Amino acid sequence: MSPTPPPSTPSPSYPTGVTMAEFHTLITQTGQAKLAAAIANSEPLELSAVAMGDGGGSLPTPSAARTTLVKEVHRVGINVIGVDSDNPHWLVIEAVLPPEVGGWMIREVGVYDSEGDLIVYGNYPETYKPLLSEGSGRTQTVRIIMQVSDTEAVTLTVDPSVVLATHEYVAQQIAAQTQHLTPKSRKIQAGDGLRGGGDLTADRTLSVDNTVVRTSRSISAGDGLSGGGNLGANRTLSVDNTVVRTTRTISTGTGLTGGGSLASNRTLSLDTATLSKLEKADSAVQPSRKVTAGAGLTGGGELSGNITIEMGTPQTLSATSENETTAEGHSHELQMATAAQARAGEDNERLMTPARVHQAFNHYGLGKTSTGSTSMDAPLASGFYRNIANPPQAPNGKSGSWIEHGGSTTDGFRLFATGGYTNEDNMYFKRKGLNAYGDTEWRKIIHDGEFRGSLGVSGWQPLPGGMILQWGVSARVDGDENVYLSFPVRFPNGCWGVFPAIRDGVTGHDEIFPRLIKYDAISCTLRAEVAAPGATIHGYDRYIHYFAIGN
């Protein structure tokens, strides 16, 4: 498909009274103010972009009050800005529109600075900028004349990624760079006594033609020489030792004064700076001098060779070390933490001794020993404590260790474990500050060791609170006989009661029944008694079972 043809260029439509000769540009009021500030402050105004517009469909009349184009259609970076060759007060601003932009009329132009303000505004002869897709693409250059009093007050900000060079600009640059080049058609010709040369299409080398010696040439004896002549024969040049030319001179080197031509006697002397250096050399350190190692150092010796000074062996440091030196070495004072700093735990520079570490642990109850009779009444920080004085505040007044949590707050508690020289293996718990009446009473923590009994035909079982249940069975009984039975364990505080029962293995026979005779903390006496005198006693296996309760 052939590209769409460009729209026909309409006939120019100028405002009433406007002719081709009246196309011009103005510096806007904003531009005038910025130019004045640039000249006054010696800070150039940076111009950066050229904008094109279609004037809203008609040719506009330039106005210095404008801040934008009537209808902007495209904006492009400034390509070149320079001073007009015929008028030093004209700046020629040039922008290039590549073939791939267009499709609109150009009736107005404007120049913007790097801050986005409109500096120059002008109308422009109506020009249609076509696109490549319209079948008539072209590169178009837009030039704007800006008249200023000081061209140094304006500079150009260029984005090199969008700048295009016109053919004219490229041609000018090539001409400027090549005007001093030598054409390749030029030649280098070898003269008398030389060979080589040729045109400049390649590198050329000139060398001496050693096969030619011209006899018309001569060697002349210069000053201080004798001999010479033309080269028609061999010639010898000799030094004329009888001649000293007065035109010869003696020049002074570094550190010397005097000298001059040999028309008279000359004296060379050391200059003042050199003499001063020699005097300093006389007072320099002599090899016989010595460096002596002071306290805490080793080495030293005469300066006739290199010497080494070394530090002595450092002394062992401790909390009491001080900054000092001795003949054998040196020591340093250590910054040690105080007890308050150890408890605070905030200083990151000072060192801690074992005693200070212990104090820091004690501050949080870690391993702290409480020996006073009122130590458990005072508010204590959360931590671990041990007690060796059997205070009355401890459970049963016994020694041991405890965990403290919460101080005197209502959510605090104590967990106490007996220890020391007691044989008790118990733990106790109490809440602190639970209500207005203070702490709760110590409560013993029941553990599985306290419920460990013996489960069997005869056995026993402890219960929380101290109650103990015991049970057992006698040997076979036949009636009218007493049975003595020992409990599996002793009731520590006494037996509360014993409950016997008979077992014969046959249902419906009740000729023998059990009866409790007596009991104590360690045993009970039971009796198998016949129900009625003369009753028939069957020969079944009978046993008395009992159930005892106590604490």
Side-chain angles (χ1 to χ4, degrees):
M1 179 182 294
S2 61
T4 304
S8 58
T9 303
S11 300
S13 175
Y14 305 139
T16 304
V18 175
T19 66
M20 283 293 293
E22 294 181 319
F23 290 106
H24 62 283
T25 58
L26 296 174
I27 299 177
T28 64
Q29 294 173 356
T30 301
Q32 294 172 17
K34 287 198 168 187
L35 277 171
I39 293 172
N41 300 325
S42 298
E43 295 179 353
L45 176 64
E46 295 184 358
L47 303 181
S48 63
V50 172
M52 280 65 70
D54 67 2
S58 61
L59 186 70
T61 300
S63 170
R66 295 210 66 83
T67 58
T68 62
L69 273 63
V70 176
K71 183 181 178 183
E72 183 177 328
V73 295
H74 188 66
R75 185 177 296 196
V76 67
I78 294 175
N79 212 59
V80 176
I81 183 170
V83 180
D84 186 82
S85 59
D86 298 325
N87 190 331
H89 296 291
W90 283 6
L91 287 178
V92 180
I93 302 169
E94 181 180 289
V96 177
L97 302 178
E100 61 268 18
V101 299
W104 21 259
M105 297 290 294
I106 303 176
R107 297 187 180 93
E108 56 179 338
V109 293
V111 180
Y112 286 84
D113 66 2
S114 59
E115 296 179 349
D117 292 327
L118 183 63
I119 304 302
V120 176
Y121 177 77
N123 53 12
Y124 196 84
E126 285 185 320
T127 303
Y128 182 76
K129 176 62 176 71
L131 286 168
L132 280 173
S133 60
E134 296 173 342
S136 181
R138 68 172 183 270
T139 298
Q140 182 167 334
T141 302
V142 176
R143 292 185 177 88
I144 303 171
I145 303 299
M146 175 180 175
Q147 182 169 336
V148 295
S149 59
D150 184 0
T151 57
E152 297 294 330
V154 180
T155 187
L156 169 64
T157 299
V158 176
D159 182 355
S161 65
V162 298
V163 170
L164 300 175
T166 63
H167 291 293
E168 179 183 353
Y169 177 80
V170 173
Q172 290 174 351
Q173 294 300 311
I174 292 176
Q177 296 297 323
T178 60
Q179 62 179 338
H180 300 297
L181 298 180
T182 302
K184 291 183 178 180
S185 59
R186 298 284 179 87
K187 294 182 178 181
I188 295 178
Q189 294 181 344
D192 291 342
L194 298 175
R195 59 184 176 181
D199 61 34
L200 298 182
T201 57
D203 294 340
R204 303 301 178 186
T205 302
L206 297 179
S207 58
V208 175
D209 186 357
N210 295 323
T211 64
V212 177
V213 177
R214 303 191 182 277
T215 58
S216 59
R217 298 292 177 86
S218 62
I219 295 177
S220 300
D223 292 341
L225 298 176
S226 60
N230 63 39
L231 296 181
N234 294 332
R235 300 299 179 185
T236 300
L237 296 179
S238 304
V239 176
D240 186 357
N241 295 324
T242 63
V243 177
V244 177
R245 308 280 182 183
T246 58
T247 57
R248 299 288 177 87
T249 60
I250 295 178
S251 300
T252 57
T254 303
L256 298 175
T257 60
S261 70
L262 296 182
S264 60
N265 295 329
R266 299 298 176 185
T267 300
L268 300 180
S269 305
L270 295 175
D271 61 18
T272 304
T274 303
L275 290 173
S276 176
K277 292 178 181 179
L278 291 175
E279 291 175 356
K280 291 180 179 179
D282 290 339
S283 60
V285 177
Q286 302 301 314
S288 58
R289 297 288 179 88
K290 293 182 178 180
V291 173
T292 302
L297 300 175
T298 61
E302 293 185 353
L303 296 180
S304 57
N306 295 331
I307 61 172
T308 301
I309 300 292
E310 296 179 344
M311 297 180 64
T313 303
Q315 299 177 11
T316 301
L317 299 179
S318 67
T320 59
S321 296
E322 297 180 353
N323 291 326
E324 63 177 351
T325 57
T326 65
E328 294 79 19
H330 66 282
S331 66
H332 297 276
E333 179 182 357
L334 300 178
Q335 296 293 320
M336 305 303 298
T338 63
Q341 291 169 338
R343 289 191 297 271
E346 297 176 351
D347 194 302
N348 199 32
E349 300 292 335
R350 296 178 180 271
L351 303 178
M352 298 271 284
T353 62
R356 292 289 183 256
V357 173
H358 184 69
Q359 289 171 345
F361 281 2
N362 278 186
H363 180 64
Y364 295 101
L366 300 176
K368 186 172 184 178
T369 300
S370 174
T371 59
S373 61
T374 60
S375 62
M376 295 185 73
D377 284 339
L380 298 173
S382 297
F384 295 90
Y385 295 82
R386 64 187 180 94
N387 183 279
I388 60 175
N390 303 333
Q393 295 81 13
N396 299 326
K398 297 180 180 180
S399 64
S401 301
W402 77 90
I403 297 174
E404 186 87 17
H405 173 72
S408 60
T409 61
T410 57
D411 63 347
F413 67 84
R414 283 176 177 168
L415 187 64
F416 189 94
T418 58
Y421 299 101
T422 67
N423 293 322
E424 184 178 343
D425 183 18
N426 292 316
M427 296 186 71
Y428 298 86
F429 174 86
K430 75 183 305 184
R431 291 291 302 275
K432 298 185 61 184
L434 184 63
N435 49 46
Y437 300 101
D439 300 350
T440 63
E441 295 296 326
W442 286 107
R443 292 182 174 86
K444 183 179 179 181
I445 298 175
I446 305 300
H447 52 81
D448 61 351
E450 295 186 277
F451 296 99
R452 190 178 298 115
S454 176
L455 304 179
V457 176
S458 296
W460 64 285
Q461 177 64 55
L463 298 178
M467 181 182 294
I468 299 175
L469 303 179
Q470 300 198 59
W471 58 91
V473 62
S474 69
R476 175 177 171 157
V477 295
D478 294 321
D480 286 332
E481 60 180 297
N482 291 340
V483 178
Y484 175 81
L485 296 172
S486 296
F487 296 140
V489 295
R490 178 189 180 89
F491 285 105
N493 298 307
C495 178
W496 296 342
V498 178
F499 307 92
I502 197 80
R503 177 176 67 85
D504 60 11
V506 179
T507 303
H509 295 277
D510 56 358
E511 56 266 17
I512 294 178
F513 64 91
R515 186 163 65 88
L516 175 63
I517 302 301
K518 64 177 181 179
Y519 62 86
D520 56 25
I522 62 174
S523 65
C524 65
T525 301
L526 306 177
R527 180 173 177 76
E529 195 167 275
V530 177
T536 299
I537 306 299
H538 294 86
Y540 304 120
D541 292 337
R542 295 181 178 86
Y543 305 92
I544 299 178
H545 292 258
Y546 72 89
F547 181 80
I549 183 171
N551 70 344

